[in-house]
Each structure stands twice: as structure tokens, then as C-alpha cells.
Amino acid sequence: MILQAIPNFMLVLPEIVLAIGVFTILMCGVFLKTKTNRLAFFLARAFVVVAIAALISGSHAKQIHTFNGQWVSDYYNFLLQFLILTSALFVLWVSSKSSINDRLEAFEYPALIMMSVIGGLICSGANDLLITFVGLELMTLPLFIMMAMNKKHTAAPEAALKYFTIGAIASCLFLFGVSFIYGYTGTTNFNTIHNLLESTQDANTYIPLIGVSLIIVSLALKVAAAPVHMWAPDVYQGTPLTVTLFFASIPKLVIISVLILLMSIPFIRMAPLVSPLFLTLSGLSLVLGAMAALKQTNFRRLVAYASTVNMGFVFLVMSSGTQMGFRAALYFIVFYSISTILLFATLLQFSNRGHEIHTIDDLKGMGRIHPFTALVLAFTLLSMAGIPPFPGFIPKLSVLFSAFHHNMTYMPLLAVLVTVISAAYYLKILKNLFFLDPENINVPSRALKVELVQKMILLALMGILVGLVVFPKFLIAATTKATAILLYL
Amino acid sequence: MTIPYLSILMALPLLGIVFISLIDNTSENAHKKAKQLGLLVTLVVFLLSLFVLYNYEYRIAYYQFEEMHTWFPGMNISYHVGLDGLSIYFVMLTTLLMPMCVMASWNAIVENAKSFMICLLALETLIIGMFSAIDLILFYICFEGVLIPMFFMIGIWGGKNRFYASFKLFLYTLLGSVFMLLAMTKLYIETGDADLPYLLNHALPEPLSLWLFLGFFIAFAVKIPIFPLHTWLPDAHTEAPTAGSVLLAGILLKMGGYGILRICLPLFPHAAVTCAPYIIVLSLIAIVYTSLIALAQTDMKKLIAYSSVAHMGFVTLGIFHFNAQSLSGAVIQMLSHGLISSALFLCIGVLYERFHTREIADYGGLSRKMPWFCGLFMLFTMASVGLPGTIGFIGEMLVIVGTFKVSPLNATIAATSLFLSAAYALWLYKRICQGPENENNAILKTSTNLDLNKMEFLNLGVLAALVVYFGFYAQPLLAIINPSIIKIQAIHRMSHYPHMKKRQAKIDCNADEGCPNRNVPL
């Protein structure tokens, strides 16, 4: 731990840039008379690009502690911040048009997204439990506002209230767990906790175990893993799609990365003890998520349950407590967040053209009316299902590799059986998209053409997914290095 | 620099997909343009594959046209493709059947023809990829990848019950394939490598070997299909469009047999020998039972579908008797079934396009108005029976001879298929083509030119020529297939007979020191 009088602000340059961006947007929005929505989004994107540039220009070769040991800047930090910022860029890009349709025209909207992103960035560089908590709260508070912003949406305030309540409970659980850890070790710094837990003479480490379990459950609650996933379908159903686009992809990436961070630095000694907890969460998520998704008629609830199933895969590999497991989890969640952005971008594309997708029946015949968007949706869904040859198969393969490497036999079997079951509901969606005829009376006689910019965004995201699979060495090397730095330094 | 023929063979259909998807969907001739482009691409791929066959050196038992690129660095998973005697004819079969599928759907598929061509071309890439894959991960991706285009083809352009059929095909085959995924992953973790030549030199502990064999085998058993796991096949075949049925019967079923020969037998010989009695029993049941079911069918396509199960029963029968005749008979049977049942489904497609019904009761006495069709249909039904002079005979004869060497009883039971298949085939032919013209068939009474048009004649003619040519002179097939078969059989002999173990030890190598050439003459 390095005690420095003045913190090294250059290491948190991306966060500073984004914070300046938030204030700039807010000031512009307040003081400019004309319609500021487009300007706000443009400024948001510009600042995110500047933040990415700031991030890349910094050197992350070695691990540097700053802010009195509460902040770490290393390769893990770099990778996570890069992923969060580029995902945020795509989200902003897609939201800029769709927010008008969802009547989220306020200029505060991009500012809220950026504040949430700052929270995510803080989480990734935190070296202290309380700083992690600050980051998590900063990430989720704007989400509550974003969900409830449009007062004309009927279901949105209910969803926002549910999410708020659940988020509050999750934060309480997190702090409760932190308090146990603090009570046992007397500190909240990751490295100090690590040293203390490693060198403890106690035979039974029940107290930190309770603390860690509470923290894990609170994060599982935030990420909608079973058995604490009940809020997700209602929230996904109620919120406007533009908001779901953001909150289904980036917070999950952040929370899983926080979980990896927590399990590799402070609580690494607890890993064998909490492994059954992870396995339980994983098994329940896989089974409950798949079973519930089969019965759904509402598309957004189905997506929520499908994300529960995917979280089941992540928790499966997190249970191993080794670098290989964490690497597979990180790899999986990166693919998952990109796929989710792509999924909601295609749904927003449907909305932009006048077809709000709520139920699966709403998708009937979309293959005829919007062939390109329907194809991208099919690509995304099959990728999330993990069917080869689509890109989503490789993370599933990586999860299975990790599982077998740690001599698990029944969990991989469960995982692949759940894959088959989940294929059923994905296929049901495909059936509605392509096999059935549209029910709408106003069916255009020819398929509608997609604007070039929207097409480019969707193609870019698809291209990223395919590129990550055809040339896997970048992401594999990055994730390996990142998790290795966590565990071995 | 060697030209990467296999990668080009796989990339050309993808290029075709790109060009076809650029065709403007709103123009009047969109579907014609799509089909023309599809035909062009598939013909180019076929010609290129003929060139590959021409350059194939048939005296070598090892992989040719090999390409290896690291895919996942440091994880020993690579893009490793190559052809050997076992796979080259399947690749040829694929590239031969694809233009025929395009031509078969020329008049049948009008709506969404663009997407249909894209599905066909995607299938072509994946199938060629599967047959030429040497790396297990690539093999698995292509093996399972064919399900998606097939799902779309059946679901969008299929018959009345198409939703049920497409879902059943997909979920059933997926369930089988995930067991292969588990087995492959376990194999990879145990050995550290996904490359088949490396794995061939790596012995596995015994109980694990059996589980891995079963894992792989279940996937192939669903695909072939082996008797209790065959129920997806009749639905999928009947509800698929003509091109879909041709591909399903012609190639997709062979993926299972090829997988057993490529992966299950060489990697897990002990386990294969242990499980052989049960599989042989299932094959015999398949042969006899499904032939009897075929006898009872009233739907033409379902009849041919059940006869496909019976023919593939011969394949597994041949494979699991482990001698050179039956193994090469199994491969020839796969190739012959690929040609013959594709031809039969094309014939049914011809009938369906004209009369729009698949019920046999609606037909009768076609030979007056459709002489060419009936002549070729006769040839193919007799080839399906195994008439000497057609390639169907070669396959069945080799399998029965090989089986007889091991177990005369099995051979006798298998030989009953000869008269059972003659029963349903001849009866089918009689009900459709011979006898008086069906009174209730209005189209038959009133239409004039019902006989084959040029494209259909080209399709069926080429297939007929191949069936007869290889029926008389199968040496081109056997010369290329036999070296690989002997290699597989040698692995079996060495591991099954203890006195051969010492030789086995000399041939086995330590992978760290580099493996010597495995072409040790036996």
C-alpha cells in the first residue's frame, strides 16, 4: 500500500474526462434555448471518445496504486474500462435516435448514461470495498432515474420502483457483507484483506465467509441470477427499450468484473468455501431461467430469463476460483454484453420503424417486413443460444473447457442440457420471425429498407462478434493477461 | 505456394452468399437472378472439386490438401483441414448434389428464393468444412452448424407439418450433438489438443474411453440414424422441400457414418469393440423393422425416408464388424445411398411439382404419359433394392460379405433386407407407374407434357449414369477409399489382438519427440 499525499490523477483521466462531459452536457442543456437532445448525445459521444483516447494513452504496463491505496491502475483496469467505454459508445450511438421515439428527449439522458458509466469505471479500478460500493451505487442510481424518466409510459414507473427496491436491498446486503469483513479484518482495502485472510490462524473463517457470501448474493441479486432473479422479468418488461439497452448490457459486465475482482484479490482464500454457493446459483439460474423462459409469451420477459440462464454459465466458471475460471467468465460476459447491445439495437430498430415488440407474437412475420433486421436478430439470438457456427458458441465452449478442467462432471452436463432447452425458446422466436406470416393489417407490400447508419451499426456489432471468434487471440490474450495480473501480482 | 483448395471450396459459397444477398429483393426477377447466381456458384464449386479429385494421389493414406492455421493460440486448437480417402468422395458427393438441388428448386421455390439459395450455400460451406475438418472443434462447429440452414429450409419452404418437423429435427439432433460436445471437451482437456492426428497417438484410460465413445456415438447415432433414435427422420424428410430432402438424405445422414469412421473407431477402438454387439443388434432391427414400416406407408416420401433408415442400418452393420470388406462396404453404401436416395427424392419432387400430392393412392399408370420419368424411376428403385449392375449392389454385397466373415447369422438377417426392400420398392413402382391410369387424378388425365423437363432430366440422368457406372466399375471408389479403410482396420486389429500389442508399441510414438510416419505397412 502506498501512502501518497497527492493522488495520481492521471490514472483516473477517463473518469475525469467523463465527469467534465457530464457537467458540460448539463450546463449546455440548462443554458441553451434550442432543442438540445442531439447536441447532448453528440457531446456525450465526443467525451466518451476522448475518454477512450485518454485511456489508451495512459500506460498500464505495471500495477500502480494510488488514492491512498484505494485505486489500482493495471491491465485489468485498462481492459475493463476499454470494454465499458466502447460499449457505452455503441449504446449512445444507438440510443440517440431511439430516445426520441421512446420520448426520453431530455438532455439529461446522455448525461445519466455517462454518470452510470463513470460508476462502472470506478468499480473496475477500485481497490477498496467502499470504493467498489460507491462505484456500484453511482452506476445504478442514474438507472432508476432513466427508467422512470418518461412519465407517459404506463409500466415504466412500476418497473423503476421495483428495480429501485431491489437495488436498495442489494446495496444493503453488500454493505452488510462489507461490515462483516470490516469487523473481521479491520480494513476494507483489498490487498490488506488478502494478506490478513491468507495469514489468519483461525481454523474456522465463518465470519468472513458470511461476509463474502452476502457480497456475492448481493451482486447476484443485482445481476439477476436465480434464485434472486424475480425482479428481472418485470423490470425488463416495463422499461422503455432505450433504457433496457443500457442497463441489460453494461452493468452486468461491470458487476461480473467486480465479482471477479473481489474473488481474485481479497477473497481468494475463501474461494473453495464459497464454491458451493456459486454452483448453487449457477444450477438454479440455468434450470429456473430455462424453464421459465419456455413458458413466456412476452418477448422482453423471455430476454430477462435468457439473461438469467447466461448468468448461470458465468457463475458456473466463477465457482472454480482459478485464473482459468475467471478468464472464461470474463470472456463470456464480454460476448454476452456485446450480444445484448446487438439484441436491443435490433429491437430498437423494429421500434424505430413503428413495430413495438412486446410479445413474441409481435414478431410474427418480421422476416418478411424487415428482413435485414430480422436476420440480425436471428444472428444475435442464435449467438446467445450458443449454437455453432455463431459466435456465441465459443464462450460456451470456453466455459465448458474451464468446467472440465476443474473436474466437474454433472454441471457441464446440466449446462449443455439447458442449452438444448434454451434452444427451444430461441427457435420459437425464430419461428415467429420467419415461418409465420405477419398479422398486422398495415403490412407493406415490400420489405422496408433500413437506413444506412443503422445498418452500419448493426453490421459493426455483428462484425465485432464474428471477428472476436475468427481472430480470437486478441480477446483471449487480453482476458488471460488481465486475470493473471489479478491473481499473480 | 500451395493453393488452399479446401479453403477456397469453403469460401466460394460464402462469397456466393454475399453476392446473392446484394440482389435487390424488390425487382421482378429477383428470384430468377438468385437461382442463376446460386447455380453458377455451385457449379464452380463442383468443377473445382473435380479438379481437386483429379489432383488427388490415391496411393497415399494420409491427408492431402492439408491446411493448418493456428486459431486459438496457445490452446492447440487450429483450423486444420485436409482430405483423405474417406472424405474426398463425400466432398464430391456434396458438390455434385448442390447444383442438382438448385436445379430441383428452380420451379418449386419462387417466394424468398434468395434466402433459399443462401441456406443452400451456407449448408455447402458447412458440409464441406465438416468432411474436411481434421481439428475436432472445427468438426463439431460444422457438424452442428448444418442444423440452422436445415431448420430454416424445412420451416419456411416445407410441407404442412413443417413446424413440428423442423423443431424436432433441430432439438433431437442438438440433444445428440451436445453429448458429443461434452465428450470432445473432455477429450480436449485430458489430452490438451484437439487435433485428430495427435489424438490418434494418445492412449486414454479405459473407463473414460468408453464414456467418450458413447458421447461421440450418441451424436452420430442420432444423425445416421440408428434404430431407436430415428423418429426425427420421417417427419423431417417428408416436410422438407425437395432440395432439403435431397440434402438431408444425400449428405446429412452420411455425416453420422463418417463421424463414426473418422472419430469413434480410430480413437476408441476398445470401446467400439465392446459396444459392437449392441449396435449390431440395433442395426439389424433397423434394417428389418424399418423396411417393414416402409411397406405400410401411404406417403411416398415417408416410404423413401424409412428406406433410408434401412439402408443406413447397413452402414452401421458394416462398420461394427471391423473387417476391410464390411468397412469399405459401409463407405460405398453411404455413397450409393447418397446417390440413390437423392435421385429418389428428386423423382418424388418431380411428381410433387406436377401433381401436388405425395399420397401413393393418388397415382397410377404414369408410364404412358411420363415414360422417361418411369424409366429412370425404375432404375433408381432397383438400385435402392440392390440390383447387381447398380452401385447399391456393391455396397450391400460388400457389407454382407464382410459381415458373413464374422457372423453368418447377422449376414443372413441383413440379407432379408434384399427381399423386403424389393417388396416395398417394387410395390411402390407398380402403384405409381404401372397399371391403369388413376381415375381420380385430374391433372394426369388432362395435362399433356408431364414428362421430365431438361433440368430434371439432367439431374436424374447424371445420377443414373453414376449409379450404373459405379455399379459396374467401382474400382475408382474403392481404390481411393481402401487405404483409409485399411488404416482404420489396422488400428482395430492392433488394439484388439494382444499379440499385436508389441507392434503397437513400436508404432505408438511419444508426441514430444515428434511422430514418425504412421504409414507402416501391415
Side-chain angles (χ1 to χ4, degrees):
Chain A
M1 207 170 79
I2 302 170
L3 282 165
Q4 280 183 328
I6 304 176
N8 189 351
F9 283 108
M10 293 309 289
L11 294 175
V12 290
L13 200 52
E15 285 87 348
I16 296 176
V17 167
L18 284 183
I20 296 175
V22 168
F23 290 128
T24 316
I25 296 175
L26 289 175
M27 289 297 119
C28 286
V30 165
F31 287 114
L32 286 179
K33 295 286 190 265
T34 54
K35 253 203 169 141
T36 48
N37 191 32
R38 293 191 59 168
L39 177 65
F41 270 105
F42 173 73
L43 280 176
R45 290 204 295 269
F47 273 99
V48 169
V49 170
V50 173
I52 296 179
L55 180 67
I56 297 179
S57 69
S59 139
H60 295 266
K62 46 190 173 71
Q63 197 178 53
I64 307 177
H65 292 249
T66 180
F67 280 95
N68 214 22
Q70 290 174 326
W71 183 269
V72 168
S73 166
D74 58 6
Y75 191 79
Y76 185 78
N77 181 21
F78 169 71
L79 180 65
L80 250 328
Q81 292 194 346
F82 183 76
L83 292 168
I84 297 171
L85 285 171
T86 39
S87 311
L89 191 60
F90 274 109
V91 166
L92 283 169
W93 210 356
V94 175
S95 314
S96 57
K97 175 145 202 246
S98 61
S99 63
I100 305 175
N101 294 339
D102 272 332
R103 291 195 219 102
L104 291 165
E105 281 161 359
F107 63 87
E108 288 98 348
Y109 188 74
L112 288 170
I113 292 186
M114 283 177 61
M115 280 193 256
S116 189
V117 169
I118 298 177
L121 296 181
I122 292 178
C123 283
S124 64
N127 201 34
D128 188 293
L129 283 170
L130 288 179
I131 303 297
T132 313
F133 178 72
V134 166
L136 286 173
E137 287 306 296
L138 186 54
M139 191 176 65
T140 50
L141 269 169
L143 291 176
F144 307 146
I145 308 175
M146 288 200 292
M147 279 185 205
M149 247 168 92
N150 179 11
K151 293 185 272 289
K152 295 199 193 80
H153 259 118
T154 43
E158 176 190 344
L161 192 60
K162 277 186 183 157
Y163 189 52
F164 172 69
T165 317
I166 296 294
I169 296 177
S171 308
C172 293
L173 284 175
F174 190 90
L175 283 176
F176 196 25
V178 170
S179 70
F180 273 99
I181 303 290
Y182 181 72
Y184 188 78
T185 55
T187 172
T188 52
N189 184 296
F190 284 175
N191 300 100
T192 321
I193 297 177
H194 173 90
N195 293 332
L196 282 169
L197 284 177
E198 286 281 324
S199 59
T200 182
Q201 302 294 331
D202 297 344
N204 304 319
T205 47
Y206 288 142
I207 294 179
L209 184 59
I210 297 175
V212 177
S213 310
L214 282 167
I215 293 178
I216 292 173
V217 172
S218 94
L219 290 175
L221 183 53
K222 277 191 193 288
V223 99
V228 285
H229 65 294
M230 302 295 188
W231 60 270
D234 294 326
V235 173
Y236 274 65
Q237 184 178 12
T239 51
L241 266 180
T242 318
V243 182
T244 327
L245 167 71
F246 178 71
F247 106 89
S249 55
I250 296 182
K252 290 215 163 70
L253 174 63
V254 170
I255 293 173
I256 297 296
S257 67
V258 163
L259 203 51
I260 294 176
L261 198 56
L262 288 175
M263 293 313 296
S264 17
I265 303 186
F267 305 128
I268 184 70
R269 195 188 166 254
M270 301 273 115
L273 297 171
V274 291
S275 169
L277 176 62
F278 275 119
L279 286 175
T280 315
L281 286 170
S282 160
L284 285 172
S285 300
L286 288 171
V287 175
L288 291 180
M291 294 295 168
L294 276 176
K295 290 299 229 168
Q296 292 302 316
T297 51
N298 186 308
F299 186 66
R300 305 200 195 175
R301 295 178 75 91
L302 190 145
V303 172
Y305 283 116
S307 83
T308 306
V309 174
N310 282 323
M311 290 304 122
F313 280 98
V314 175
F315 281 110
L316 177 63
V317 276
M318 298 260 340
S319 69
S320 62
T322 60
Q323 191 237 340
M324 191 172 179
F326 293 143
R327 190 198 73 72
L330 192 57
Y331 194 70
F332 191 94
I333 199 70
V334 167
F335 265 88
Y336 171 77
S337 57
I338 300 177
S339 307
T340 313
I341 297 179
L342 187 56
L343 172 69
F344 284 102
T346 46
L347 289 180
L348 280 170
Q349 190 54 36
F350 282 128
S351 299
N352 286 345
R353 312 233 119 232
H355 294 108
E356 277 277 337
I357 306 293
H358 286 285
T359 61
I360 298 185
D361 286 338
D362 286 341
L363 285 171
K364 258 191 203 173
M366 283 299 151
R368 305 275 155 80
I369 309 176
H370 300 125
F372 176 74
T373 318
L375 271 173
V376 179
L377 183 60
F379 177 90
T380 313
L381 289 172
L382 287 170
S383 179
M384 285 172 84
I387 311 278
F390 293 96
F393 170 67
I394 301 294
K396 282 234 163 74
L397 191 63
S398 154
V399 163
L400 285 175
F401 282 164
S402 173
F404 273 111
H405 189 258
H406 298 109
N407 291 324
M408 293 192 233
T409 40
Y410 295 110
M411 288 305 289
L413 181 63
L414 181 66
V416 295
L417 288 176
V418 164
T419 308
V420 178
I421 299 176
S422 61
Y425 54 79
Y426 285 117
L427 288 181
K428 197 165 69 168
I429 302 174
L430 290 183
K431 169 180 146 188
N432 274 291
L433 274 176
F434 294 108
F435 298 174
L436 299 175
D437 289 320
E439 267 183 358
N440 238 338
I441 314 172
N442 320 329
V443 170
S445 57
R446 295 165 168 193
L448 298 173
K449 287 184 91 56
V450 184
E451 285 176 19
L452 194 61
V453 172
Q454 309 286 332
K455 230 184 200 173
M456 283 298 122
I457 298 179
L458 294 176
L459 280 177
L461 283 169
M462 270 172 65
I464 290 178
L465 278 179
V466 173
L468 282 178
V469 162
V470 174
F471 302 106
K473 68 173 185 214
F474 304 113
L475 192 59
I476 288 192
T479 48
T480 314
K481 189 172 167 191
T483 45
I485 283 192
L486 285 184
L487 283 171
Y488 300 132
L489 253 115
Chain B
M1 189 199 70
T2 52
I3 306 176
Y5 287 114
L6 282 175
S7 300
I8 295 180
L9 271 181
M10 286 196 267
L12 275 177
L14 290 177
L15 207 60
I17 291 180
V18 169
F19 281 122
I20 290 183
S21 53
L22 292 176
I23 295 178
D24 188 6
N25 224 354
T26 55
S27 73
E28 283 308 307
N29 279 347
H31 68 103
K32 259 203 163 7
K33 273 193 247 172
K35 286 180 222 172
Q36 284 164 351
L37 196 50
L39 187 60
L40 177 67
V41 173
T42 47
L43 279 177
V44 168
V45 173
F46 176 57
L47 291 174
L48 186 59
S49 68
L50 276 179
F51 184 67
V52 165
L53 181 62
Y54 180 70
N55 283 337
Y56 183 81
E57 177 59 59
Y58 66 90
R59 279 174 260 256
I60 306 177
Y62 214 60
Y63 291 110
Q64 301 177 40
F65 305 104
E66 209 172 335
E67 293 163 43
M68 186 157 177
H69 302 288
T70 325
W71 186 15
F72 285 82
M75 287 169 69
N76 284 331
I77 301 175
S78 47
Y79 170 79
H80 192 185
V81 293
L83 287 179
D84 79 343
L86 200 50
S87 39
I88 186 160
Y89 273 122
F90 290 111
V91 173
M92 296 302 305
L93 185 63
T94 313
T95 54
L96 173 70
L97 285 178
M98 279 295 170
M100 295 190 181
C101 288
V102 175
M103 286 196 268
S105 18
W106 203 262
N107 295 324
I109 309 282
V110 176
E111 218 183 274
N112 291 329
K114 229 174 80 164
S115 320
F116 193 80
M117 290 298 132
I118 292 179
C119 285
L120 275 183
L121 291 175
L123 265 177
E124 183 160 25
T125 303
L126 289 167
I127 297 174
I128 295 180
M130 197 218 90
F131 282 121
S132 48
I134 303 178
D135 183 271
L136 276 185
I137 310 277
L138 186 62
F139 178 86
Y140 178 77
I141 290 181
C142 295
F143 186 84
E144 236 191 277
V146 299
L147 289 178
I148 301 285
M150 215 60 233
F151 174 74
F152 283 124
M153 277 171 73
I154 297 180
I156 305 182
W157 295 278
K160 268 200 290 279
N161 210 13
R162 58 188 190 272
F163 302 144
Y164 174 73
S166 58
F167 270 78
K168 196 171 182 181
L169 164 78
F170 192 95
L171 292 174
Y172 213 132
T173 318
L174 184 66
L175 187 59
S177 302
V178 291
F179 288 106
M180 178 161 99
L181 177 64
L182 286 176
M184 178 186 77
T185 314
K186 182 71 179 167
L187 186 61
Y188 170 77
I189 295 290
E190 284 289 318
T191 56
D193 208 318
D195 206 36
L196 209 49
Y198 175 87
L199 290 171
L200 283 173
N201 292 321
H202 203 287
L204 286 166
E206 196 35 50
L208 179 65
S209 172
L210 181 62
W211 285 111
L212 291 178
F213 172 81
L214 283 175
F216 278 104
F217 185 71
I218 293 180
F220 301 133
V222 173
K223 207 66 186 206
I224 290 184
I226 296 189
F227 162 65
L229 304 172
H230 69 290
T231 48
W232 61 270
L233 189 130
D235 291 304
H237 273 106
T238 41
E239 303 302 330
T242 309
S245 297
V246 166
L247 283 174
L248 255 182
I251 304 172
L252 263 58
L253 301 188
K254 319 299 175 281
M255 290 163 71
Y258 172 80
I260 295 184
L261 281 171
R262 175 67 84 207
I263 299 179
C264 285
L265 290 197
L267 287 180
F268 316 112
H270 281 294
V273 170
T274 316
C275 295
Y278 309 101
I279 301 174
I280 291 175
V281 167
L282 289 176
S283 314
L284 289 171
I285 297 177
I287 296 175
V288 176
Y289 178 60
T290 48
S291 301
L292 290 171
I293 298 180
L295 206 50
Q297 292 304 313
T298 54
D299 181 331
M300 278 192 294
K301 249 182 165 174
K302 241 188 184 133
L303 194 151
I304 307 291
Y306 276 111
S307 82
S308 285
V309 182
H311 286 302
M312 296 310 284
F314 264 98
V315 172
T316 40
L317 189 72
I319 292 178
F320 283 96
H321 279 100
F322 305 125
N323 52 41
Q325 279 83 19
S326 66
L327 281 170
S328 52
V331 179
I332 303 276
Q333 174 76 347
M334 281 199 270
L335 290 172
S336 85
H337 180 260
L339 292 172
I340 295 171
S341 56
S342 310
L344 284 172
F345 278 111
L346 282 172
C347 291
I348 297 180
V350 165
L351 286 179
Y352 189 76
E353 251 185 68
R354 284 151 180 67
F355 301 102
H356 304 293
T357 170
R358 289 194 306 259
E359 293 294 316
I360 302 177
D362 293 336
Y363 291 95
L366 290 181
S367 53
R368 255 158 240 124
K369 294 251 174 87
M370 304 173 69
W372 278 106
F373 170 79
C374 287
L376 286 167
F377 192 46
M378 167 111 262
L379 174 65
F380 293 124
T381 44
M382 289 301 102
S384 167
V385 171
L387 189 73
T390 62
I391 191 179
F393 171 68
I394 309 275
E396 288 188 4
M397 179 202 77
L398 280 173
V399 167
I400 292 181
V401 164
T403 311
F404 198 90
K405 279 169 78 168
V406 176
S407 157
L409 177 63
N410 292 348
T412 315
I413 301 177
T416 60
S417 86
L418 289 171
F419 66 78
L420 284 174
S421 57
Y424 62 71
L426 285 173
W427 196 29
L428 175 71
Y429 186 77
K430 173 206 175 263
R431 283 182 291 176
I432 292 182
C433 292
Q434 293 176 331
E437 286 188 6
N438 196 331
E439 289 305 311
N440 304 327
N441 198 333
I443 306 177
L444 182 57
K445 279 203 281 212
T446 52
S447 310
T448 44
N449 62 333
L450 284 173
D451 211 352
L452 304 172
N453 61 29
K454 283 204 234 28
M455 266 189 194
E456 292 158 351
F457 187 69
L458 183 64
N459 282 346
L460 293 174
V462 168
L463 286 172
L466 287 172
V467 161
V468 173
Y469 177 72
F470 288 126
F472 281 108
Y473 186 55
Q475 189 53 21
L477 298 178
L478 287 168
I480 292 188
I481 296 171
N482 270 337
S484 308
I485 295 294
I486 292 179
K487 203 164 81 136
I488 298 176
Q489 196 227 348
I491 298 176
H492 258 277
R493 241 179 24 204
M494 285 194 287
S495 58
H496 192 47
Y497 295 111
H499 64 276
M500 294 285 226
K501 284 272 172 55
K502 252 193 262 177
R503 254 194 119 201
Q504 168 83 0
K506 262 197 246 169
I507 296 171
D508 271 355
C509 62
N510 192 347
D512 293 339
E513 300 159 358
C515 296
N517 195 345
R518 274 199 69 87
N519 284 324
V520 176
L522 293 149

